Coordinates of all heavy atoms in Angstrom, one line a residue:
V434 N 96.0 86.3 118.4 CA 94.6 86.3 118.7 C 94.3 85.1 119.6 O 93.6 85.2 120.7 CB 93.7 86.3 117.5 CG1 92.2 86.1 117.9 CG2 93.8 87.6 116.7
E435 N 94.8 83.9 119.2 CA 94.6 82.7 119.9 C 95.2 82.8 121.3 O 94.6 82.3 122.3 CB 95.2 81.5 119.2 CG 94.4 81.1 117.9 CD 95.1 80.0 117.2 OE1 96.0 79.3 117.8 OE2 94.7 79.7 116.0
E436 N 96.3 83.4 121.4 CA 97.0 83.6 122.7 C 96.4 84.6 123.6 O 96.7 84.7 124.8 CB 98.5 83.9 122.5 CG 99.2 82.7 121.9 CD 100.7 83.1 121.5 OE1 101.0 84.3 121.7 OE2 101.5 82.2 121.1
G437 N 95.5 85.4 123.1 CA 94.8 86.5 123.9 C 95.6 87.7 124.0 O 95.2 88.6 124.8
K438 N 96.7 87.8 123.3 CA 97.5 89.0 123.4 C 96.9 90.2 122.6 O 97.2 91.4 122.9 CB 99.0 88.7 122.9 CG 99.7 87.8 123.8 CD 101.2 87.6 123.4 CE 101.9 86.7 124.4 NZ 103.3 86.5 124.0
I439 N 96.2 89.9 121.5 CA 95.5 90.9 120.8 C 94.0 90.4 120.6 O 93.8 89.2 120.6 CB 96.1 91.2 119.4 CG1 96.0 90.0 118.5 CG2 97.6 91.6 119.6 CD1 96.5 90.3 117.0
R440 N 93.1 91.3 120.4 CA 91.7 90.9 120.2 C 91.5 90.8 118.7 O 90.8 89.9 118.2 CB 90.8 91.9 120.8 CG 90.9 92.0 122.3 CD 89.9 93.0 122.9 NE 88.5 92.6 122.8 CZ 87.5 93.3 123.0 NH1 87.7 94.6 123.5 NH2 86.2 92.9 122.9
Y441 N 92.0 91.8 117.9 CA 91.8 91.8 116.5 C 93.0 92.4 115.8 O 93.8 93.0 116.5 CB 90.5 92.7 116.1 CG 89.3 92.1 116.7 CD1 88.8 92.7 117.9 CD2 88.6 91.1 116.1 CE1 87.6 92.2 118.4 CE2 87.4 90.6 116.7 CZ 86.9 91.2 117.8 OH 85.8 90.7 118.4
Y442 N 93.1 92.2 114.5 CA 94.2 92.8 113.8 C 93.7 93.5 112.5 O 92.6 93.2 112.0 CB 95.3 91.8 113.5 CG 94.9 90.6 112.6 CD1 95.2 90.6 111.3 CD2 94.3 89.5 113.2 CE1 94.9 89.5 110.5 CE2 94.0 88.4 112.4 CZ 94.3 88.4 111.0 OH 94.0 87.4 110.2
G443 N 94.6 94.5 112.1 CA 94.2 95.2 110.9 C 95.5 95.6 110.1 O 96.6 95.1 110.4
L444 N 95.3 96.6 109.2 CA 96.3 97.0 108.3 C 96.4 98.5 108.3 O 95.4 99.1 108.4 CB 96.0 96.4 106.9 CG 97.1 96.5 105.8 CD1 98.3 95.7 106.2 CD2 96.5 96.0 104.5
S445 N 97.6 99.0 108.2 CA 97.8 100.5 108.0 C 98.5 100.6 106.7 O 99.8 100.4 106.6 CB 98.5 101.1 109.1 OG 98.8 102.5 108.9
S446 N 97.8 100.9 105.6 CA 98.5 100.9 104.3 C 97.7 101.7 103.3 O 96.4 101.9 103.4 CB 98.6 99.4 103.8 OG 99.1 99.4 102.4
I447 N 98.3 102.2 102.3 CA 97.6 102.9 101.2 C 97.9 102.2 99.8 O 97.6 102.7 98.8 CB 98.1 104.4 101.0 CG1 99.6 104.4 100.7 CG2 97.7 105.2 102.2 CD1 100.1 105.8 100.3
R448 N 98.4 100.9 99.9 CA 98.7 100.2 98.7 C 97.5 99.2 98.4 O 97.3 98.2 99.1 CB 100.0 99.4 98.9 CG 101.2 100.3 99.1 CD 102.5 99.5 99.3 NE 103.6 100.4 99.3 CZ 104.9 100.0 99.3 NH1 105.2 98.7 99.3 NH2 105.9 100.8 99.3
P449 N 96.8 99.5 97.3 CA 95.7 98.6 97.0 C 96.0 97.2 96.8 O 95.2 96.3 97.2 CB 95.2 99.2 95.6 CG 95.6 100.7 95.7 CD 96.9 100.7 96.4
N450 N 97.2 96.9 96.2 CA 97.5 95.4 96.0 C 97.7 94.7 97.4 O 97.3 93.6 97.6 CB 98.7 95.3 95.1 CG 100.0 95.9 95.6 OD1 100.0 96.6 96.6 ND2 101.1 95.7 94.9
V451 N 98.3 95.4 98.4 CA 98.5 94.9 99.7 C 97.2 94.7 100.4 O 96.9 93.7 101.0 CB 99.5 95.7 100.5 CG1 99.6 95.2 101.9 CG2 100.9 95.7 99.8

Side-chain angles (χ1 to χ4, degrees):
V434 171
E435 290 179 10
E436 293 174 352
K438 293 183 177 181
I439 67 174
R440 296 180 68 189
Y441 300 97
Y442 61 99
L444 188 63
S445 177
S446 175
I447 60 170
R448 297 182 172 187
N450 59 356
V451 173

